[in-house]
Amino acid sequence: ETGVTQSPTHLIKTRGQQVTLRCSSQSGHNTVSWYQQALGQGPQFIFQYYREEENGRGNFPPRFSGLQFPNYSSELNVNALELDDSALYLCASSLAGTGIYNSPLHFGNGTRLTVT
Amino acid sequence: AQKITQTQPGMFVQEKEAVTLDCTYDTSDPSYGLFWYKQPSSGEMIFLIYQGSYDQQNATEGRYSLNFQKARKSANLVISASQLGDSAMYFCAMRGPGNSGYALNFGKGTSLLVTP
C-alpha cells in the first residue's frame, strides 16, 4: 500500500511569487485535503477535494486554490505569497463514504515553504 | 463551532513510565470523532487512535489508550511503557459536521520528551 507522498519537501520563495505544491493520495483514497501548519501551532484546514470538486474550505483567502485530478492526486496553489505563508503544508487523504467520523486522515510528510 | 484545547505545552516522562496527555473539546454536535496524532520532528502526522462520540468503551491501540469522559468533554491520551521513540508532538483533533467538509480541527499540541 502506497502512502501519501508530497513534493517538494522544501521550498524557498520570494514575497509576491506563486507556488504549486503536489500530493499523491494513498492508494484507494478518493478524498484529499490540505492543511497549513505554522511553527508551534496545530494544522489549520485549508480545503478538501472529492471527485475533483472542492467540498469544504477553511478560513483561507481565494489566493489559496487547489485541484484534484482523476487519479486523486492534488495540487495546492498559492498566489501573491506573503511572509505569513511560511509554514509546513500537509496533504492528507481518506476514503469518503466509509464512516465520516471514524475515518482517520492519512498525512504525507509535508512541504516546508519559506517565504522571504 | 468546534474547539480543541490542549493545556500542556510540554511534558516529560521517564522511559517505561506511563504518561497522560490532556485534551478537552467543545462542540454542539451529537456525532463526532476524536483523534490523536503523533508528529515527530520529520513532520509527518501519524494517526494513533480514534474514539467515536457514541462509543461506550474507551479506545485502545497497543500502548495507546484514550480516556474518554463524554460528560466532561475530555479525551485524554494515555501512553503506557513510554519509549524513547515516543518523543514527539502530540495533537488531539476532532471531526464532525460542525466543520466544513468534516475537516479535522486540531489543538495546539503537546510536546512529549521521554528521558532515559
Side-chain angles (χ1 to χ4, degrees):
Chain A
E1 185 177 83
T2 307
V4 178
T5 57
Q6 292 185 242
S7 63
T9 54
H10 294 83
L11 204 52
I12 299 174
K13 289 286 189 178
T14 304
R15 189 171 51 183
Q17 285 187 315
Q18 178 266 343
V19 68
T20 297
L21 310 182
R22 294 180 173 83
C23 171
S24 292
S25 302
Q26 180 165 320
S27 177
H29 285 180
N30 57 12
T31 301
V32 66
S33 50
W34 287 88
Y35 289 76
Q36 180 197 64
Q37 187 178 17
L39 199 61
Q41 301 295 317
Q44 298 291 315
F45 174 63
I46 303 175
F47 47 58
Q48 177 173 282
Y49 278 81
Y50 171 64
R51 291 183 175 176
E52 303 174 48
E53 301 254 343
E54 184 183 295
N55 74 341
R57 189 176 184 95
N59 190 25
F60 280 82
R63 60 188 185 84
F64 285 78
S65 63
L67 285 172
Q68 186 185 28
F69 300 100
N71 65 355
Y72 305 127
S73 65
S74 175
E75 286 182 356
L76 163 65
N77 299 290
V78 187
N79 293 323
L81 283 167
E82 300 177 0
L83 297 179
D84 285 349
D85 295 335
S86 294
L88 179 68
Y89 287 85
L90 293 162
C91 171
S93 71
S94 62
L95 184 60
T98 56
I100 196 76
Y101 303 113
N102 65 5
S103 180
L105 301 187
H106 298 268
F107 287 84
N109 286 348
T111 294
R112 192 165 297 280
L113 173 65
T114 302
V115 182
T116 62
Chain B
Q2 297 180 352
K3 186 178 179 182
I4 297 285
T5 303
Q6 294 181 255
T7 57
Q8 306 154 312
M11 291 282 286
F12 291 89
V13 66
Q14 208 158 18
E15 201 177 3
K16 299 179 186 177
E17 297 292 312
V19 63
T20 298
L21 306 183
D22 295 341
C23 172
T24 57
Y25 62 92
D26 190 20
T27 182
S28 56
D29 299 320
S31 301
Y32 52 87
L34 295 158
F35 301 81
W36 277 90
Y37 282 83
K38 171 184 178 181
Q39 188 177 40
S41 56
S42 61
E44 183 184 4
M45 299 289 283
I46 301 168
F47 166 67
L48 297 177
I49 195 167
Y50 159 82
Q51 180 84 43
S53 58
Y54 295 115
D55 293 345
Q56 297 295 313
Q57 306 274 354
N58 285 341
T60 59
E61 287 286 349
R63 295 186 299 111
Y64 304 108
S65 61
L66 204 153
N67 184 2
F68 181 46
Q69 298 188 43
K70 192 171 182 177
R72 299 177 63 180
K73 293 189 174 178
S74 74
N76 299 339
L77 177 70
V78 180
I79 305 175
S80 62
S82 296
Q83 302 172 355
L84 296 178
D86 293 335
S87 294
M89 284 292 294
Y90 288 81
F91 291 94
C92 179
M94 171 186 288
R95 199 172 188 191
N99 274 357
S100 174
Y102 296 89
L104 274 174
N105 185 21
F106 286 86
K108 291 189 174 183
T110 295
S111 176
L112 177 66
L113 181 63
V114 181
T115 59

